[in-house]
Amino acid sequence: MFLSFMQEVFNKKSYASLNELVLKAKNGDERVMNDLLIEFTPFMKKTASFVCKRSIDEHDDEFSIAMSGFHEAVLQFNPAEDSSLTTFSHLIIKRRLIDYFRKEATRNDVIHLLKDEDKTTGLDVQQYVFDRSSIVSYSKEQQAEERREEIIEYTKLLKNYGLSFQELAMSSPKHTDSRKTAIHIAQIIAETPEFYHYLIANKKLPVKELESTVEVSRKTIERQRKYIIAVVLLLNSHFVYIKEYIKGEFI
């Protein structure tokens, strides 16, 4: 039920299209490489934050390391051998951060983190060997757990607006054109600060303003209200793994 709703929100990004972009970046297309770095910035933050056990942003050294790791992953990624770019890059970023922690090993919190890694993952950090089989077996399991955590968080977020997946499944627009219209309205709200702030503050849609903006009747907006709100919350969320899953990046 969850996936059936979510898959209506995003168009699946095919492996082929992403692989084509990766190939261009590998062949020296700096514009494409920069686009990939921008597109996957939330993913890099999420991965670095997970490894570091704290929030990471662009001002942290760990983010620079994560970005460098992702850049390295793009250059090394082989669609014929690796499951997905995110799965492949996840472990490279983790490996680069662990290397960084080793250099900073005089910090007690870093030492503690590495010990925790040994206990929770079963990996010997000192003897860990980076190979593709490790990426497939470990990184996919870890990301699956993080996706489950995001689903729990999203469920709680929806509850704040009186929504549930059961309701969304029942109220989701049945026709393709209706869904496209609802998603279009949601994108406008998500990208318009005054509309989005109104939704967050009042837990309801700015219907009057939307009527004049999207040229859709009040009745239509009200009928699709639950679906629109759910999509807005997802679009402006930090749920990186859910979005990547819906885009078709995971097997």
Side-chain angles (χ1 to χ4, degrees):
M1 184 176 296
F2 169 76
L3 292 179
S4 64
F5 161 69
M6 298 287 287
Q7 287 173 339
E8 292 173 348
V9 177
F10 293 99
N11 291 323
K12 284 191 173 181
K13 182 190 291 183
S14 68
Y15 289 107
S17 62
L18 179 59
N19 291 344
E20 289 173 3
L21 293 176
V22 171
L23 181 59
K24 289 181 180 179
K26 289 171 60 115
N27 289 335
D29 191 322
E30 294 185 4
R31 183 185 64 79
V32 172
M33 177 65 82
N34 288 334
D35 288 344
L36 288 172
L37 291 172
I38 293 172
E39 172 72 17
F40 284 88
T41 289
F43 168 79
M44 290 181 252
K45 289 182 183 178
K46 181 90 173 183
T47 302
S49 296
F50 181 83
V51 174
C52 298
K53 306 295 190 294
R54 65 181 176 84
S55 178
I56 299 295
D57 61 29
E58 289 93 338
H59 304 293
D60 294 307
D61 291 340
E62 290 86 349
F63 174 74
S64 297
I65 294 168
M67 179 172 284
S68 177
F70 182 82
H71 184 276
E72 177 184 345
V74 172
L75 296 179
Q76 293 185 12
F77 181 66
N78 184 344
E81 297 181 13
D82 304 313
S83 56
S84 74
L85 179 61
T86 47
T87 300
F88 183 69
S89 60
H90 184 97
L91 203 60
I92 292 186
I93 292 173
K94 177 182 171 63
R95 177 61 175 171
R96 296 301 161 251
L97 285 169
I98 289 177
D99 289 343
Y100 169 74
F101 295 152
R102 285 174 177 165
K103 295 177 182 178
E104 301 292 319
T106 54
R107 299 188 332 210
N108 291 332
D109 59 329
V110 172
I111 294 173
H112 176 70
L113 172 61
L114 293 180
K115 288 180 179 178
D116 284 347
E117 288 290 343
D118 290 341
K119 293 177 182 178
T120 59
T121 67
L123 296 177
D124 185 338
V125 176
Q126 297 298 323
Q127 298 180 2
Y128 177 76
V129 177
F130 170 63
D131 58 33
R132 298 183 187 280
S133 63
S134 297
I135 292 175
V136 173
S137 63
Y138 169 69
S139 189
K140 285 178 65 177
E141 293 177 5
Q142 185 180 44
Q143 290 182 38
E145 176 60 29
E146 292 172 17
R147 285 200 302 277
R148 284 191 289 270
E149 292 177 1
E150 287 189 350
I151 291 173
I152 293 173
E153 288 185 47
Y154 185 44
T155 301
K156 293 178 180 177
L157 179 59
L158 289 174
K159 189 175 181 180
N160 292 335
Y161 292 78
L163 303 175
S164 67
F165 289 125
Q166 289 79 3
E167 289 179 297
L168 292 173
M170 295 176 62
S171 62
S172 297
K174 300 299 185 292
H175 301 291
T176 301
D177 289 343
S178 297
R179 286 197 298 273
K180 287 182 178 179
T181 298
I183 292 172
H184 176 64
I185 293 173
Q187 289 173 327
I188 290 175
I189 297 172
E191 296 170 5
T192 307
E194 54 266 38
F195 291 173
Y196 181 66
H197 293 155
Y198 182 94
L199 171 62
I200 299 302
N202 299 283
K203 300 293 187 293
K204 61 181 181 180
L205 299 175
V207 178
K208 183 177 180 180
E209 291 79 2
L210 286 172
E211 280 186 279
S212 59
T213 302
V214 299
E215 298 183 352
V216 175
S217 70
R218 174 181 290 265
K219 182 178 180 180
T220 297
I221 296 173
E222 290 289 358
R223 185 171 60 250
Q224 299 177 344
R225 177 185 64 84
K226 294 179 180 180
Y227 185 84
I228 293 171
I229 291 175
V231 174
V232 173
L233 295 176
L234 183 59
L235 290 173
N236 277 7
S237 75
H238 62 280
F239 303 137
V240 178
Y241 289 96
I242 292 177
K243 293 178 181 179
E244 288 305 321
Y245 182 84
I246 300 305
K247 288 180 180 179
E249 294 302 320
F250 290 90
I251 289 178

